[in-house]
Amino acid sequence: MSADWTLRRAGEGDAHSCALVAAATFLEAFAGVLDGADILAHLDRNSSAGSFARWIADPASVVTLAEAQVGSAPIGYTLLTTPDLPIEPQAGDVELKRIYTLAPFHGSGLGAALMEQALADARHLGHRRLLLGVHGGNRRAQRFYGKQGFAVIGTRRFLVGATWHDDLVFGRAV
């Protein structure tokens, strides 16, 4: 693991840090791609500190926070939780609902480290398959998931703000 960051399981006091990095990374990923008002509405609805507090408190969910080694600023995160995807569920499924890193850390290995941690957490919780959804136009993320052993297993319509988008659903054994 790089000396530039640390990974840790988010705790009760981390909801605001998680919401901050969630908003920053979603905006970085989709500004200029999705409608700005839709992005803001999506973040208000799905990435508030209250949402993260509920996930952090949920024993079926795991939030991992990546922090800069110097200063401990939040720079990325993952969220494992109960699947909410339009595919035939299998016993042992878990969804990697979120995996994001700030742009300055793209290509640094942080994304791979977060994925490795998510897989380890999924195994530890007794899950057998990791699922995730990705925006159909996000080729960079799709390439990353392919390198991580994921394959497309379905599609979904995903609402961001007031606009529906076509997503791909990926899966892989843990």
Side-chain angles (χ1 to χ4, degrees):
M1 182 177 293
S2 170
D4 294 340
W5 67 78
T6 59
L7 301 181
R8 65 178 178 81
R9 187 164 182 166
E12 184 178 320
D14 293 318
H16 287 289
S17 292
C18 292
L20 176 65
V21 75
T25 56
F26 195 83
L27 188 58
E28 278 184 340
F30 294 110
V33 176
L34 306 179
D35 180 76
D38 283 346
I39 291 171
L40 296 175
H42 176 80
L43 290 170
D44 284 345
R45 185 174 30 238
N46 299 293
S47 294
S48 68
S51 295
F52 277 98
R54 286 187 294 279
W55 285 314
I56 289 167
D58 178 4
S61 298
V62 176
V63 179
T64 297
L65 188 59
E67 296 174 318
Q69 185 70 34
V70 175
S72 300
I75 58 172
Y77 74 104
T78 60
L79 167 60
L80 280 176
T81 193
T82 304
D84 181 24
L85 295 164
I87 61 156
E88 185 67 33
Q90 296 179 8
D93 282 353
V94 67
E95 182 180 354
L96 180 56
K97 194 167 207 62
R98 312 264 182 85
I99 179 170
Y100 283 97
T101 64
L102 289 171
F105 294 88
H106 290 178
S108 71
L110 177 56
L114 281 165
M115 182 63 76
E116 184 178 317
Q117 184 64 53
L119 288 163
D121 289 336
R123 280 190 296 275
H124 177 75
L125 292 172
H127 296 289
R128 295 191 299 265
R129 185 170 70 157
L130 188 60
L131 308 171
L132 60 88
V134 62
H135 185 271
N138 192 341
R139 304 286 183 244
R140 180 172 210 242
Q142 292 170 34
R143 284 190 304 274
F144 173 75
Y145 300 136
K147 288 178 186 175
Q148 298 296 318
F150 286 83
V152 175
I153 60 170
T155 60
R156 72 169 173 185
R157 300 274 294 154
F158 189 75
L159 186 63
V160 177
T163 307
W164 288 96
H165 297 274
D166 295 314
D167 285 3
L168 299 172
V169 177
F170 283 74
R172 70 157 277 183
V174 296

